[in-house]
Amino acid sequence: MTFSRKKTHMALVTITIIILALLSTYPAFSGHFFAINSDGQVHLARLESLYQALRSGRFPSLINFIGFDNHGIAVNAMYPWPTLLIFVIPRLLFQSPMLGLAVGFLLMNIFTLTNAYWLAKSLSKNRLVLWLGVLAYQFNSYHFELMFTRVAIGEAFGYAFLPLVIFGLFKIWKNDQLGIVWLAIGMGLVGNSHILSLLLFTILIAVLELIRIIRRKFTRREFKQLLLSAVISILMASYSLYNVITWGLNNKLVTPTPILLGMNPSYGLTNLLNNDITESSTGAHMGLAVTLLLIYLAAQLFSRPTGQWRYWTIGALSLWILAQNWINWPHFATTPVSLLQFTMRILTIVSLLIMIGLILFLNQVNWNSTATTIFAGLVIIFIGVSGVTQIHERAAQDFHWAQHHTQPTTLVKRRLIRHLTGRNYLANVNHMTMPDYHIQKDTVRTNPSFHPQTNQNFQLALQQNWRKVAFDWKGARQFNHFRATDQTVNFNITLKQQRSVKLPVVGYHHVNYQVIVNGNNTTFWHSGGQLKTKLPAGSNKVEVSISNESRHLGLFILSCFAYLISLGYVFFYRSRSRKDAQATRSGY
């Protein structure tokens, strides 16, 4: 292929990816609103904190005074924020929170499609085959559920970067030097997005390498390359990993709700047939088209006894079966496995394994049916997009229903506020609170016992988690909050007499707090999971602020340098390879 033809091909691929990303994103924002949920409101508060910091020229804080009842929960410390910049920077450019959100999801879909394309291209030279694989991964209904009904942005980032991780791993298996860098970049991006996904993908790589050891394909060179890639990826994610580790070690934190729910096959089948991607912890699915592809590949296992595609198909099928509630998953709710919370999260890996198995299978059968491929691709796209459209239209109907009900019931209020627009954006930012990452009571048992009723019901488990929080809720209601920024929060309180009072702010250890009362710096101390200080009688204005530590900014700069050096190495390596190839063709 000549240089001009390569440029034309790259341009066509880029245009196709952008069109598919627009097709994936627009339905969730049609009608100029977005159907938000509780998890989405958590991320809106995080985005608002990042936006205010960057707009003011400050490095983002690890404590969130914005949202979460302004209690200053360390969400950004425990939940990596760097990749959220794809939502924040567009907002800074366009000065529109809704447009920033839409552009952020558009970029996320571009990343997903690009990474899936690179992986598919490394597996097949047949354009029909590789694009069918890309569509099966991108327009998977579970992918849209992650983004637009669960609004699990961290997991959606994991879904976007997993193909890049496997792309790098495959290159290492082929002794390609660039595999080290691509694997490191992929895992580094995951580490800067979602720690649970990082753990899952690390386990996936370990299992794949164990299989290679058993099959005697693992080499010393491969081990060195994996080790070097791991070191680079740790450098890339050093800022986020340092925050999670140090905050976890220095503070006894309430973890996300400890529960482990398996997928319900009967409920999942109903949602599958109805193409319903409603937020559900037990009824998630991959869409009818992708599920049929998995069934087809599984059926081929009995008629085609050879081929690498068989191992990836068996892996996908095994994990899908493992995720069902045929195993009594709630019994593992008191073990470290409960970090998973919902076995449907395994579907991210299943989706990728299906993509790989499908491409390798079609390679083996020398697939060349253009009409069938186009038809299958359109069906996959239609099912994925119509699932988003259906849930979006339902949200619009719920909103219109709530508008015509004058009684402010809980249901009416929820449907009104979850119809996210520019008008109620800030109301959504300040709407959500959660027990996660508060200081935990000293009286909480280290090894809780198994309770069948609690461990099989998320709401009951959530209530149990709230009871672990060390916080004086009654005392906090005495304060009137009137302002919060990314680094400060202000309260008013009137007292009849001087006394020591717990401030309505979570008190973490190894954090540089400053408490100002009526314009004067005041001594404070930690007490029962909060900050405590003496307040005089009368009306008091209280300001609590934090300062960024230089080591946090230093680690962030180190992470950025690791990415820049790695990308520079890729550019240099490819440029040198291109020159060597040209020299070879010229006869030198």
Side-chain angles (χ1 to χ4, degrees), residues 453-472:
Q453 194 173 20
T454 302
N455 293 117
Q456 297 184 55
N457 185 301
F458 182 78
Q459 291 304 319
L460 289 176
L462 180 61
Q463 291 173 19
Q464 189 72 22
N465 219 30
W466 271 113
R467 296 188 187 102
K468 299 177 184 178
V469 175
F471 200 86
D472 183 3

Side-chain angles (χ1 to χ4, degrees), residues 1-43:
M1 186 182 292
T2 63
F3 181 68
S4 59
R5 287 186 62 188
K6 280 186 178 180
K7 286 181 67 175
T8 303
H9 175 67
M10 286 178 62
L12 288 174
V13 169
T14 302
I15 292 169
T16 302
I17 286 175
I18 292 173
I19 291 172
L20 292 175
L22 285 168
L23 192 59
S24 301
T25 308
Y26 176 76
F29 290 89
S30 62
H32 305 287
F33 80 94
F34 181 79
I36 201 73
N37 70 339
S38 297
D39 282 358
Q41 289 167 339
V42 169
H43 293 300

Side-chain angles (χ1 to χ4, degrees), residues 236-303:
M236 291 175 173
S238 57
Y239 169 75
S240 298
L241 294 177
Y242 175 83
N243 293 334
V244 171
I245 293 170
T246 55
W247 284 70
L249 290 176
N250 292 320
N251 299 279
K252 188 179 179 182
L253 301 176
V254 176
T255 61
T257 305
I259 196 170
L260 193 57
L261 297 177
M263 292 168 56
N264 186 320
S266 60
Y267 183 32
L269 180 61
T270 301
N271 287 344
L272 176 73
L273 296 177
N274 291 325
N275 199 21
D276 187 353
I277 59 170
T278 301
E279 180 184 8
S280 169
S281 58
T282 59
H285 60 89
M286 298 178 291
L288 184 60
V290 177
T291 303
L292 288 176
L293 286 175
L294 175 59
I295 293 172
Y296 175 76
L297 290 173
Q300 293 299 308
L301 291 172
F302 299 97
S303 59

Side-chain angles (χ1 to χ4, degrees), residues 125-323:
K125 295 180 180 179
N126 185 325
R127 293 178 187 175
L128 292 175
V129 170
L130 73 87
W131 278 111
L132 186 61
V134 169
L135 294 178
Y137 189 73
Q138 170 65 23
F139 290 89
N140 188 307
S141 293
Y142 180 68
H143 180 212
F144 289 121
E145 182 177 338
L146 277 179
M147 290 188 293
F148 302 135
T149 57
R150 287 182 57 210
V151 200
I153 291 180
E155 291 178 59
F157 274 123
Y159 194 99
F161 299 135
L162 180 57
L164 182 60
V165 170
I166 302 302
F167 172 71
L169 187 64
F170 283 177
K171 281 193 169 293
I172 288 176
W173 290 356
K174 296 175 182 177
N175 287 322
D176 188 328
Q177 197 74 13
L178 288 182
I180 300 171
V181 180
W182 289 124
L183 176 58
I185 291 175
M187 290 296 280
L189 288 169
V190 175
N192 282 315
S193 305
H194 194 240
I195 297 300
L196 180 57
S197 293
L198 181 66
L199 291 173
L200 283 175
F201 299 168
T202 301
I203 293 171
L204 173 64
I205 292 172
V207 170
L208 292 175
E209 293 301 328
L210 180 61
I211 293 172
R212 285 179 63 81
I213 290 172
I214 294 172
R215 299 182 66 193
R216 297 184 178 181
K217 289 189 173 183
F218 190 78
T219 63
R220 183 177 296 179
R221 177 188 176 92
E222 185 176 327
F223 173 76
K224 291 179 179 178
Q225 290 179 329
L226 288 170
L227 191 62
L228 179 57
S229 183
V231 171
I232 297 171
S233 65
I234 289 172
L235 288 175
M236 291 175 173
S238 57
Y239 169 75
S240 298
L241 294 177
Y242 175 83
N243 293 334
V244 171
I245 293 170
T246 55
W247 284 70
L249 290 176
N250 292 320
N251 299 279
K252 188 179 179 182
L253 301 176
V254 176
T255 61
T257 305
I259 196 170
L260 193 57
L261 297 177
M263 292 168 56
N264 186 320
S266 60
Y267 183 32
L269 180 61
T270 301
N271 287 344
L272 176 73
L273 296 177
N274 291 325
N275 199 21
D276 187 353
I277 59 170
T278 301
E279 180 184 8
S280 169
S281 58
T282 59
H285 60 89
M286 298 178 291
L288 184 60
V290 177
T291 303
L292 288 176
L293 286 175
L294 175 59
I295 293 172
Y296 175 76
L297 290 173
Q300 293 299 308
L301 291 172
F302 299 97
S303 59
R304 299 180 184 273
T306 59
Q308 293 292 324
W309 66 272
R310 294 171 55 83
Y311 305 115
W312 301 99
T313 301
I314 291 170
L317 191 60
S318 299
L319 287 178
W320 183 86
I321 292 171
L322 188 67

Side-chain angles (χ1 to χ4, degrees), residues 64-84:
N64 295 78
F65 286 124
I66 296 173
F68 313 108
D69 285 340
N70 310 111
H71 291 165
I73 305 175
V75 181
N76 279 352
M78 300 302 295
Y79 206 134
W81 61 262
T83 48
L84 289 179

